[in-house]
Amino acid sequence: MFIGHFGVALAAKRLAPRTSLGLLVFAAEFLDLLWPIFLLLGFEHVRVVPGITKVQPFDFYDYPFSHSLTMVLRWSLAVGLLYYIVRRSARGAWLLGALVTSHWVLDFVSHRPDLPLWPGGPKVGLGLWNSWPGSIGVESLLFLAGVWLYLRATDAPGRKIPWSFWSLLGLLVVVWVAALLAPPPPDVSQLAMGGLLLWITVPWAAWADSYSDPEGRRS
Ligand SMILES: [Zn+2]
């Protein structure tokens, strides 16, 4: 799952209007932000296996730290706690923690049974990636619903949506479509280096969101 996670981050703005979209994206994508780093460090492994699912050519056979459920719950707690310590907002802390976990839930829907419940434990996944229409349909719906909820949450008299916001949406759609159409990467290190580019979306989302609270009452 790619663009669906961003849909959830955008939708979360409704529940935490004063939290920057950059942070919401950071939490919703946290596991995939860690993953390329763990690949490059050799802590986790993946194989390129064209045809393993209809939509994605990757065999995620070893990613216990970034994508096993028990570790994900710990990451959620860590992100939530850190936010609480820095910002003293219980609401924001709960929401960011829930966003980290939401990533695993959506991955559970998309992936074949390759997501461990705990490191070394049984693996689960509903395998939506075995259906092109299902994958495109579910991700598009999540994304469009997120955009709609975000625009409603940030609605204000006289507001003009800046091009930074539209550029974020354009970037995400282009990256998503390109990743779907591109041939499989030649090797895992290229995949990991490409994965690191995901970090760009965090400051980009913060920039896209900077108009939504003109008085700067962020928390
Ligand atoms: Zn993931």
Side-chain angles (χ1 to χ4, degrees):
M1 173 111 14
F2 175 72
I3 210 162
H5 296 302
F6 290 91
V8 174
L10 286 159
K13 187 73 179 175
R14 218 175 146 67
L15 298 174
R18 295 184 186 179
T19 303
S20 162
L21 183 62
L23 268 177
L24 300 174
V25 163
F26 174 78
E29 277 293 353
F30 186 69
L31 309 181
D32 282 0
L33 292 170
L34 293 180
W35 179 65
I37 298 171
F38 289 167
L39 280 181
L40 290 169
L41 291 172
F43 297 165
E44 299 194 332
H45 304 89
V46 65
R47 270 186 292 256
V48 181
V49 180
I52 191 162
T53 68
K54 290 212 170 89
V55 177
Q56 289 291 346
F58 306 118
D59 179 7
F60 301 95
Y61 69 96
D62 179 40
Y63 55 169
F65 305 111
S66 65
H67 279 77
S68 72
L69 180 58
T70 52
M71 283 303 295
V72 169
L73 294 175
R74 287 183 187 130
W75 292 123
S76 303
L77 195 68
V79 168
L81 262 180
L82 194 66
Y83 186 78
Y84 185 75
I85 290 165
V86 175
R87 299 285 191 180
R88 295 279 155 198
S89 159
R91 185 189 176 88
W94 274 106
L95 185 72
L96 290 180
L99 279 174
V100 175
T101 302
S102 82
H103 182 106
W104 192 89
V105 175
L106 292 187
D107 276 4
F108 165 71
V109 175
S110 320
H111 284 229
R112 50 191 282 281
D114 61 24
L115 289 155
L117 291 179
W118 57 87
K123 295 179 174 183
V124 295
L126 298 179
L128 185 67
W129 276 340
N130 281 314
S131 160
W132 274 101
S135 299
I136 308 269
V138 168
E139 291 223 44
S140 305
L141 266 179
L142 278 170
F143 185 63
L144 290 175
V147 171
W148 185 71
L149 287 169
Y150 174 90
L151 290 175
R152 285 198 49 183
T154 56
D155 200 10
R159 176 194 60 159
K160 240 182 103 206
I161 300 157
W163 70 274
S164 59
F165 180 73
W166 298 118
S167 75
L168 173 72
L169 301 191
L171 170 84
L172 296 174
V173 171
V174 166
V175 169
W176 182 47
V177 173
L180 288 174
L181 298 179
D187 58 57
V188 170
S189 59
Q190 284 216 19
L191 174 64
M193 295 306 283
L196 283 179
L197 291 176
L198 192 63
W199 280 88
I200 291 172
T201 60
V202 175
W204 202 312
W207 175 53
D209 190 45
S210 50
Y211 75 97
S212 72
D213 189 6
E215 292 161 45
R217 294 161 300 154
R218 287 274 155 61
S219 60

